[in-house]
Amino acid sequence: MNSNKAGFLFIILLWAGCFWGWTQESKPLVEVLTQLEASYSCTFNYAEQTIQDISVEAPNPNLSLAESVDFLANETGLIFEILENNFISIQKNTGLVLCGYILDKDTFEPLESATVQAEGASVVTDQKGYFSIKVRHSGVTVKIRYLGYRSLQRSYYNFKTSVCDAIYLVPEAEELTQVILSNYLVKGIDKLNTGEFQLNTDRFGLLPGLIEPDVLQAVQSFPGIQSINETVSNLNIRGGTHDQNLILWDDIKMYKTGHFFGLISAFNPQITQKVSLRKNGTPSEYSDGVSGTISMQTEEDVNGQLNGNIGVNLIDASGFVDVPLGEKSSIQVAGRKSISDVWKTPTYEEYFKRISQDTEVSQNSESVANTDQTFDFYDVSFRWLYEISETDRLRLNFILMDNALTFDENAVVSGVQTSRQSSVSQNNLAAGLFYEREWSDRFATIFQIYNSDYKLRAINANLLLTQRFLQENKVSETGTRIKGSYRLDDRWTGHVGYQLIETKVTNLDDVDLPLFRSLISEVVRSHSGFAQGDFLSRDGYTSIQVGFRYNYLDKFKKSLYEPRFTLNQRFANYFNVELLGEIKHQVASQIINFQNDFLGVEKRRWQLANDQDIPVMESKQVELGLHYSQKGWLLSAEGYYKMVEGITTQSQGFQDQYEFVKSAGDYEVYGLDFLFRKRFKGANLWMSYSYMDNTYTFENLQVDSFPSNLDITHAVNGGLGYTYKNFEVSTGIHWRTGKPTTEPVAGDEVLNDAINYAPSNTERLEDYMRWDASAMYRFKLKKTQWELGVSVWNLLDKNNEINRYYRVDALNDAQQFRQTSLGITTNASIRCYF
């Protein structure tokens, strides 16, 4: 079975499960019992008034007798007891009743659909966070669970039987961390005292232009983060290129981040529980990512109940299911696939037009016609959780993501109509094993091993030259990490560990006529030891993390020393001041050899440093921030300095006089990030502003320094969201100054058959502006929950220019080429939770 059929079969099965749960009719319990007696040759004993006026859905006929009895007990709240000879007694539950209101500790907002369990009984909270559960005796322990929060266990004696008290759940975070700014932009985004931002996808608020919690789209609303070309595969954190970001999925490094060659995130949001974003002050256990770190984490706890969801929008269909395997184990499976082979929606057409701009897919030579363009993407994620014991936990991860684009090139060659297929594909396959053990209340260890394989492959069929050009770029990385954490007391925790990473990059260029083949493979192995101390004062006002990482690159016999620190101090109750700093390095980067590599669709290829003309990148950052939060008001200001050494001209994407120049250098950034947010009753208003001065310095170029290709001097993002009952709407703008560009010398554009450029990056494109809007409606149908969403991207259909360059045409004139952003693009979705 091919991937397309398998993907659609998975999605169809999930839809069937959702609709099966929705359409099942309730029957009087007495009828259901009569059916079970006939099916299982059993006898139910009960008083008539015990089951009077009770209706339930019939159990699945594939269940065993015991499973059917458990199902009825959970559905009715009655006590079923299986006796000898298949006699089953039914009694009313005359046990004790416990109740309460589950609230967020930081915001005091009620947590709807939190799970409350006690000895087989299970209920969920309502819109007010209220629950009521029957327990059989006073020795019971009640477990309260809610995605994105720490699970809580309470004994019977912690409840008051005369009143329903408030019970507060703490947002899940590492020990000795606290939320200092809750709901940073919208609900579900918090800033911690460690300097990181945490996004909880299960309680994520609606952002303008989005109808799903696409994390890599969402972070572009943060001050200091943009995408110069409007894609998630080119995130620019404080003036850095995308390859300078460390992207982790369950602590596995990923080299591919986007579907549709960067227009949407390649990580299924249905299986991702929380995301950590760090722009500075990275913990010492992390390597790479000289610009920033984005770490995605999935559910850590074994789930005791079957749940899942299935949805479709105008781009793809996706689903997720969490299946318990007893009390100590569960598996999670998520899948997503484009629907273009079934229906090429208007949204798909806009996306395809955007990615094929100025590539061989959309334009070829005058005598060659392109036909039958097809595009497909899918991703599959699998996780197995196993609680070996109360102190031992095991996790197995697997993820596969793939993009494939094909088209036919047609031409008349020597009087014969000829057709050959060209294609480009990009995929990432990764797997990891994670083992955690708590040796005592104070000491715990983790062990991890992973492998991540990336492959970019293109076949360019040149009909006029009867030539086939094959290109491949492969990355294979294996990593292992061991870490020990010791808690000295309620204020101090220490961490120490070792990490080994081996990265292999292979580049292939293969031409059949004339025969040419270049295959280059390089390997870099790094050994790292790290240590860190965390401190949190008893009043929670002072937080300090100080770490150090030692790295040894055996290929270069090079040692690198990297201190890291964060300091956060609360004062006057509502203010926080923070100081962050770090030194990091990176051995892998993406370069562009030629703009038409890989058909021009994904022209970047990974390469490893050689510590000569391709140096090891090293970064230094320091940041000072001041934050204020009280009664719905939030004000935040951050100033920073950043220096990254060891970049190359090939990694920066020049399309001017430096396009084919090879030189090493650095970039230096001074910046300010501001955020204002105000929460009203049912409404949320926010606006951010970023200032940046980002300059290049290269060793072998004639000028000392000049503006970076990513120098966005001013950027403003703003949004307004409103929630009324089950309806949520959000709208907002994105505005920034145009990116730097290089123009030909006026009146002397072409010199010696080449473009005669003015000094690099002395001009700018027009300002970029986009207005987006989204709306979501949520409702319940029996045992299922539904979401209906609609979004509009670029509501004003503004023709934003995102790139401009020049080439010499056949008349020896300078021909201008422009790349523009997505036009007005609508999307709609429907999702069912069961």
Side-chain angles (χ1 to χ4, degrees):
M1 180 180 294
N2 62 37
S3 61
N4 290 348
K5 292 181 179 179
F8 274 117
L9 178 59
F10 172 74
I11 291 167
I12 289 171
L13 289 174
L14 286 177
W15 270 116
C18 187
F19 277 101
W20 183 86
W22 174 30
T23 57
Q24 286 297 291
E25 295 183 359
S26 296
K27 298 180 181 179
L29 179 57
V30 64
E31 293 184 15
V32 175
L33 297 178
T34 301
Q35 291 177 0
L36 293 179
E37 287 178 335
S39 300
Y40 296 103
S41 299
C42 62
T43 302
F44 290 94
N45 291 329
Y46 52 86
E48 183 177 350
Q49 62 270 23
T50 301
I51 66 170
Q52 190 175 7
D53 299 327
I54 297 179
S55 296
V56 294
E57 298 172 4
N60 190 313
N62 295 324
L63 296 178
S64 66
L65 174 60
E67 290 172 334
S68 298
V69 167
D70 288 341
F71 174 82
L72 293 178
N74 289 331
E75 293 294 306
T76 63
L78 299 175
I79 298 175
F80 288 73
E81 185 177 1
I82 301 178
L83 307 174
E84 295 181 355
N85 300 320
N86 274 3
F87 280 88
I88 304 169
S89 69
I90 306 175
Q91 298 178 351
K92 286 187 176 181
N93 190 341
T94 59
L96 305 169
V97 177
L98 301 177
C99 63
Y101 292 88
I102 309 300
L103 306 177
D104 182 295
K105 176 182 177 293
D106 298 311
T107 66
F108 305 109
E109 293 184 357
L111 300 180
E112 182 183 2
S113 300
T115 302
V116 183
Q117 297 173 310
E119 286 194 346
S122 179
V123 297
V124 295
T125 55
D126 61 16
Q127 292 181 344
K128 297 181 180 180
Y130 173 78
F131 74 92
S132 176
I133 188 170
K134 292 182 178 180
V135 296
R136 299 181 184 179
H137 53 82
S138 59
V140 71
T141 298
V142 177
K143 185 175 183 179
I144 303 171
R145 300 173 64 249
Y146 190 75
L147 286 177
Y149 290 75
R150 293 181 186 171
S151 297
L152 178 66
Q153 293 192 19
R154 270 191 159 201
S155 71
Y156 168 83
Y157 297 103
N158 292 123
F159 289 87
K160 295 180 180 179
T161 56
S162 59
V163 66
C164 300
D165 272 347
I167 301 172
Y168 299 99
L169 292 188
V170 179
E172 193 170 3
E174 297 296 325
E175 289 191 7
L176 296 186
T177 61
Q178 289 185 343
V179 174
I180 61 170
L181 300 174
S182 61
N183 303 322
Y184 182 74
L185 291 176
V186 296
K187 184 174 66 174
I189 302 178
D190 302 321
K191 183 175 177 64
L192 307 183
N193 58 358
T194 56
E196 71 179 278
F197 297 90
Q198 191 172 95
L199 294 78
N200 291 284
T201 58
D202 60 297
R203 57 188 185 97
F204 200 69
L206 196 63
L207 281 171
L210 303 181
I211 47 178
E212 290 190 348
D214 188 321
V215 173
L216 300 185
Q217 288 281 8
V219 297
Q220 296 178 42
S221 297
F222 284 65
I225 303 178
Q226 292 94 29
S227 174
I228 203 74
N229 66 351
E230 208 178 58
T231 67
V232 300
S233 59
N234 196 7
L235 288 179
N236 313 122
I237 299 180
R238 289 179 170 173
T241 52
H242 183 74
D243 59 332
Q244 295 171 8
N245 301 327
L246 174 62
I247 309 293
L248 300 173
W249 183 78
D250 267 354
D251 294 317
I252 301 173
K253 184 175 180 179
M254 305 300 296
Y255 284 87
K256 168 182 163 56
T257 58
H259 280 320
F260 237 121
F261 294 100
L263 291 182
I264 60 176
S265 170
F267 302 97
N268 193 330
Q270 307 308 320
I271 198 172
T272 304
Q273 183 196 18
K274 67 177 182 180
V275 181
S276 294
L277 166 67
R278 294 179 175 91
K279 295 185 279 187
N280 198 348
T282 311
S284 61
E285 63 183 288
Y286 292 107
S287 182
D288 291 346
V290 295
S291 275
T293 301
I294 300 176
S295 176
M296 288 161 277
Q297 297 290 333
T298 50
E299 173 61 58
E300 297 180 351
D301 295 329
V302 172
N303 182 38
Q305 291 183 321
L306 174 69
N307 67 80
N309 65 74
I310 180 72
V312 63
N313 57 46
L314 297 182
I315 292 296
D316 59 64
S318 62
F320 165 75
V321 63
D322 191 345
V323 183
L325 303 176
E327 295 182 356
K328 294 186 176 182
S329 178
S330 66
I331 60 172
Q332 300 171 356
V333 181
R336 179 170 47 163
K337 186 187 179 306
S338 60
I339 61 173
S340 55
D341 44 1
V342 176
W343 179 27
K344 292 184 178 180
T345 66
T347 309
Y348 167 86
E349 298 290 355
E350 284 291 327
Y351 277 29
F352 189 87
K353 182 172 68 174
R354 168 66 182 83
I355 67 166
S356 60
Q357 274 189 73
D358 195 31
T359 68
E360 293 194 27
V361 180
S362 60
Q363 58 185 26
N364 217 314
S365 60
E366 293 182 0
S367 56
V368 178
N370 293 344
T371 60
D372 297 327
Q373 293 101 333
T374 61
F375 175 77
D376 179 63
F377 71 80
Y378 68 89
D379 60 72
V380 179
S381 308
F382 171 85
R383 300 180 72 247
W384 175 51
L385 303 177
Y386 180 39
E387 292 185 355
I388 303 172
S389 67
E390 292 184 357
T391 58
D392 298 86
R393 287 176 290 277
L394 186 69
R395 182 181 75 221
L396 178 67
N397 297 78
F398 168 86
I399 187 170
L400 170 64
M401 51 185 71
D402 185 83
N403 284 227
L405 186 154
T406 62
F407 62 95
D408 293 333
E409 298 190 28
N410 308 276
V412 176
V413 181
S414 300
V416 179
Q417 181 67 40
T418 306
S419 178
R420 294 181 67 178
Q421 188 179 85
S422 293
S423 63
V424 58
S425 63
Q426 184 186 38
N427 62 67
N428 204 151
L429 171 66
L433 182 68
F434 186 92
Y435 171 69
E436 180 180 10
R437 176 173 176 80
E438 295 180 5
W439 299 86
S440 67
D441 293 339
R442 294 179 177 270
F443 182 60
T445 58
I446 62 170
F447 171 78
Q448 180 203 13
I449 185 170
Y450 73 87
N451 187 81
S452 183
D453 289 329
Y454 167 86
K455 182 178 181 181
L456 174 63
R457 186 176 192 267
I459 297 177
N460 188 350
N462 191 321
L463 291 177
L464 302 182
L465 297 178
T466 63
Q467 181 187 81
R468 187 270 298 145
F469 183 23
L470 168 66
Q471 292 183 294
E472 287 185 352
N473 175 229
K474 297 180 181 178
V475 181
S476 181
E477 179 169 295
T478 301
T480 184
R481 176 173 60 117
I482 184 169
K483 171 186 164 184
S485 299
Y486 184 76
R487 189 182 183 97
L488 298 174
D489 53 32
D490 60 350
R491 295 177 297 165
W492 289 95
T493 298
H495 312 274
V496 64
Y498 166 79
Q499 186 174 35
L500 169 65
I501 300 176
E502 181 181 272
T503 307
K504 178 181 180 180
V505 174
T506 302
N507 281 290
L508 170 67
D509 292 289
D510 187 294
V511 182
D512 62 350
L513 187 69
L515 190 63
F516 171 82
R517 181 180 175 86
S518 172
L519 179 64
I520 301 174
S521 293
E522 294 181 291
V523 178
V524 171
R525 186 181 298 110
S526 66
H527 302 267
S528 303
F530 58 87
Q532 181 167 309
D534 301 339
F535 170 79
L536 180 67
S537 62
R538 286 193 171 93
D539 58 9
Y541 276 35
T542 304
S543 172
I544 302 173
Q545 291 83 36
V546 178
F548 182 82
R549 185 180 181 94
Y550 169 74
N551 308 278
Y552 180 73
L553 308 181
D554 58 3
K555 183 176 182 178
F556 314 130
K557 295 181 171 55
K558 184 172 187 174
S559 295
L560 298 169
Y561 306 91
E562 300 175 348
R564 321 271 179 87
F565 68 88
T566 67
L567 167 65
N568 189 286
Q569 177 66 52
R570 181 182 298 181
F571 64 95
N573 292 327
Y574 310 114
F575 291 88
N576 283 82
V577 61
E578 64 178 355
L579 180 65
L580 302 91
E582 66 178 26
I583 295 178
K584 299 179 75 175
H585 82 284
Q586 187 170 321
V587 298
S589 62
Q590 285 184 305
I591 65 167
I592 299 175
N593 285 334
F594 300 99
Q595 293 294 328
N596 61 350
D597 278 351
F598 302 96
L599 303 178
V601 177
E602 175 53 273
K603 60 196 76 172
R604 298 168 299 178
R605 64 173 76 201
W606 288 96
Q607 70 166 10
L608 288 175
N610 57 22
D611 208 31
Q612 297 174 6
D613 59 321
I614 307 174
V616 176
M617 283 189 289
E618 298 183 57
S619 70
K620 303 178 181 68
Q621 292 194 68
V622 65
E623 173 185 334
L624 179 64
L626 179 64
H627 314 287
Y628 169 80
S629 179
Q630 183 190 22
K631 295 182 178 179
W633 291 92
L634 188 153
L635 298 173
S636 175
E638 298 167 346
Y640 63 90
Y641 169 78
K642 175 181 178 182
M643 165 70 82
V644 178
E645 301 174 311
I647 65 172
T648 64
T649 49
Q650 289 178 291
S651 68
Q652 299 302 301
F654 285 102
Q655 288 182 276
D656 55 18
Q657 61 265 49
Y658 301 135
E659 182 172 349
F660 302 110
V661 176
K662 295 183 179 181
S663 179
D666 60 62
Y667 71 88
E668 189 176 36
V669 185
Y670 295 89
L672 295 171
D673 292 336
F674 296 95
L675 175 74
F676 156 81
R677 190 222 66 206
K678 172 60 178 171
R679 292 180 63 85
F680 306 91
K681 184 177 181 181
N684 184 62
L685 173 68
W686 57 271
M687 181 165 290
S688 68
Y689 166 75
S690 295
Y691 167 80
M692 178 192 303
D693 180 17
N694 187 354
T695 57
Y696 285 139
T697 302
F698 287 99
E699 297 173 356
N700 302 323
L701 302 188
Q702 295 177 351
V703 294
D704 292 334
S705 63
F706 58 98
S708 162
N709 295 337
L710 304 176
D711 180 36
I712 304 301
T713 308
H714 306 285
V716 176
N717 291 324
L720 174 64
Y722 181 73
T723 303
Y724 178 74
K725 295 184 178 179
N726 296 332
F727 182 73
E728 186 175 5
V729 64
S730 180
T731 185
I733 62 166
H734 297 261
W735 174 89
R736 58 174 170 81
T737 51
K739 71 181 288 286
T741 189
T742 307
E743 294 292 314
V745 175
D748 194 16
E749 289 84 0
V750 178
L751 183 65
N752 298 327
D753 298 325
I755 301 294
N756 182 27
Y757 285 105
S760 185
N761 288 347
T762 52
E763 302 292 334
R764 288 184 179 269
L765 302 180
E766 291 185 4
D767 293 351
Y768 176 99
M769 198 279 285
R770 193 182 78 238
W771 181 22
D772 305 326
S774 301
M776 183 75 69
Y777 179 70
R778 300 176 177 88
F779 61 96
K780 294 182 179 180
L781 284 177
K782 294 191 176 179
K783 293 188 176 182
T784 59
Q785 297 184 3
W786 294 76
E787 289 182 348
L788 300 177
V790 62
S791 67
V792 183
W793 184 280
N794 196 359
L795 195 63
L796 300 180
D797 198 22
K798 192 173 187 303
N799 188 28
N800 290 300
E801 186 179 18
I802 57 177
N803 192 30
R804 183 196 304 163
Y805 65 97
Y806 294 85
R807 294 291 183 262
V808 178
D809 63 14
L811 300 177
N812 207 36
D813 293 327
Q815 182 180 0
Q816 184 187 91
F817 292 86
R818 297 174 69 250
Q819 294 174 336
T820 57
S821 65
L822 275 172
I824 183 170
T825 306
T826 58
N827 201 358
S829 69
I830 179 172
R831 184 164 299 277
C832 167
Y833 296 85
F834 57 91

